[in-house]
Amino acid sequence: MKTTKTSFKTTVVWNQINWKKIQRIVFKLQKRIHKAAQRGDVKAMRRLQKTLMKSWYAKLLATRQVTQDNQGKKTAGVDGVKSLGYAQRLELANNLGTNGKIKPTRRIWIPKRGTDEKRPLGIPVMADRANQALAKIALEPQWEAKFEPNSYGFRPGRAAHDAIEAIYLAIHCKSKYVLDADISKYFDNIDHQKLLSKLNTYPSMKRMIRNWLKAGFMDGQDIFLTEAGTPQGGVISPLLANIALHGMEEVIKEYANTLPTRRNYGKKQNRHALSLIRYADDFVIIHEDINVVLGAKTAIEGFFKDIGLELKPSKTRICHTFEEYEGEQPGFDFLGFNIRQFPVNDGVSARAPRSRKILGFQTIIQPSKKAVQRHYKAISDVIDSHKAAPQKVLIQKLNPIIQGWANYYSSVCSTDAFRDLNNMIYVKLTSWARYRHPNKGGKWVTEKYWTNVGGDNWVFGYTNPDTNERYILSKHTWTKIVRHTKVKGDASPFNGDFVYWGIRTGKSKEIPSLLAKTLHKQKGKCVNCGLTFTTEDQIELDHILPISLGGKRKFHNIQALHRHCHDQKTARDGSLSGSHDKGMFSEEPDEVKVSCPVLETSSTREGVA
């Protein structure tokens, strides 16, 4: 690591920092914090957290996260600071700590998906973002050792598919009642004092977090105080929100212990029969007895009232997985999936686990109707806005949308939805082609815009006669259906099991299939730094030899890199910043949580057929 003598205690040339060494040292400290929290050694845990907060290496990592890796690196707070250069990043890292002055957040409004409402975001200044990232580096290992096993939202190594699989395991052998609930204004109403009390950290950390919570926000030229809630848009906000909701499962288990004991079954069985599965502010409570579900609803409402929250009536319903209940149709939607049990014949029916009794139903999970409609509308909007664009451009715009959505739903019974979408897109593309050539016949249009791939004559695509490159539009049905394996209940990325987490990263439904194949080729490691990819890393696909320098869009010329490693490689090989080599894919964010992206890549994107 090259050093220079300046006013900094320890300073380096940013683009020559040995990030591999830094990440390993910081992770070792995080692992020790995690183990101390697991064994209940509070004294050792807090000592290690204070060491991490003062660590120059941790400050560098926090600075890199907010100035280089995060999508919001070009979004300014109230001070207008954004897109920092090398020297500015070093200066920012040097000034991090628990004693800095906190500035209010900048309020912006974004539309909520599927409604006319808008969601408020609070954008902190760059210095506060870096300090929040530093605090998260120290706090997250502690809380990952404490969080309940059926909490899946905004946690490293966990995803929506784990929550869906947990629901399947809870109902696939028995039909049950379900409380499907959502918390009203989840981020806006959390009681500050209750949150800080539950956080139970050392004084300087607690004081800094209190200042973030009380910093207020600026909406235009007006400044407002914040008496409750944690601002969406802050780096540490999802962690704080999860901490505020920690204990929901324990409340449900305590309620289950009050239930009368069944014949031949003890209280332990009652605790396991009542399930709570949560993803951020969405959760379900599942049990075969409607009275137990209603009692659990009352218990959880008491828990929410204590921390300043309440259920959202418009998004809270009770239903049954197999039968109609009080006018409610069987089944429910959760995270863009529809979960329901359908009557089937004995040959394919589910069976009771012990008696092997035929139950007469099968649990089917598939994309929800709203998710399909939103996806088709997104595709239609792209087609309508590219009526005059070349076929190649349209394919490059549509492929990431189709591949990302199909991959997200590739772990459930999506075959029918995929087939229907293929048909609807074909009709839409036919209209697009005929609009461009109103005087040509259907056969001419078909031969111009459709080609044969693997015996399928109805594939939208063409071959460039000059370069012989082929551009074809992906079909949903080309994505294979592969069951997702749920994360182990107590597993954490901070336990140091790189093999387990490396395998899960490569098999994640939240990354494109090409990226998954590339990770397998690279044995789950970044080519540039040699570190194993984790579930929290920002990963980008890159052309080994840039297209601008004569490279080909072929699998052998593709590699997977960390976003910051990609920046280093781009600077070395001389390819233009913002060229089509700078990140080839952008996936849709998941259907419900816009703040939890599937995979985002920086700069411009190009699909590779």
Side-chain angles (χ1 to χ4, degrees), residues 164 332-339 365-366 368 408-409 412:
I164 297 300
F332 61 100
D333 291 348
F334 192 68
L335 302 178
F337 296 85
N338 177 261
I339 300 104
I365 302 177
Q366 55 192 341
S368 68
Y408 183 78
Y409 289 101
V412 297

Side-chain angles (χ1 to χ4, degrees), residues 86-243:
Y86 291 166
Q88 293 171 311
R89 294 174 193 173
L90 289 170
E91 183 179 0
L92 175 60
N94 193 66
N95 293 330
L96 294 185
T98 57
N99 298 320
K101 186 177 179 181
I102 309 298
K103 294 185 178 180
T105 61
R106 181 168 70 92
R107 173 62 57 90
I108 62 174
W109 297 86
I110 61 171
K112 284 188 177 181
R113 185 188 295 269
T115 68
D116 295 331
E117 300 179 37
K118 290 189 175 182
R119 185 193 309 273
L121 288 185
I123 309 300
V125 298
M126 193 68 74
D128 288 344
R129 272 180 257 177
N131 263 323
Q132 289 184 20
L134 180 62
K136 185 180 178 184
I137 288 173
L139 289 175
E140 196 166 49
Q142 169 196 351
W143 282 95
E144 279 300 309
K146 298 176 65 175
F147 280 143
E148 294 158 322
N150 281 318
S151 164
Y152 298 100
F154 303 139
R155 291 183 59 189
R158 292 166 179 256
H161 301 87
D162 295 309
I164 297 300
E165 184 64 15
I167 292 173
Y168 174 81
L169 294 174
I171 67 173
H172 75 289
C173 288
K174 186 173 287 188
S175 59
K176 297 183 179 182
Y177 290 94
V178 178
L179 169 67
D180 177 19
D182 191 7
I183 304 170
S184 178
K185 296 183 178 179
Y186 173 47
F187 281 91
D188 298 336
N189 293 329
I190 296 172
D191 185 281
H192 287 172
Q193 194 55 45
K194 297 289 186 181
L195 171 58
L196 291 169
S197 177
K198 186 177 287 188
L199 190 62
N200 191 28
T201 187
Y202 58 92
S204 59
M205 177 73 81
K206 183 177 181 179
R207 183 168 55 251
M208 183 170 64
I209 292 175
R210 180 193 290 114
N211 290 340
W212 284 331
L213 295 174
K214 300 291 187 182
F217 64 90
M218 290 190 68
D219 195 349
Q221 298 299 317
D222 300 321
I223 187 167
F224 300 87
L225 299 178
T226 47
E227 299 299 331
T230 175
Q232 296 185 63
V235 176
I236 203 172
S237 294
L239 175 61
L240 295 180
N242 269 335
I243 292 172

Side-chain angles (χ1 to χ4, degrees), residues 255-263 265-267 270 287 289 292:
Y255 166 72
N257 275 341
T258 67
L259 299 175
T261 305
R262 295 183 180 182
R263 183 182 300 175
Y265 288 90
K267 292 184 177 180
N270 278 337
H287 196 271
D289 188 336
V292 172

Side-chain angles (χ1 to χ4, degrees), residues 446-447 449-463 470-472 475 478:
T446 298
E447 290 177 350
Y449 290 107
W450 276 264
T451 186
N452 182 294
V453 175
D456 185 350
N457 291 320
W458 298 101
V459 177
F460 188 75
Y462 85 106
T463 302
R470 201 176 196 190
Y471 294 86
I472 56 176
K475 290 190 174 184
W478 289 352

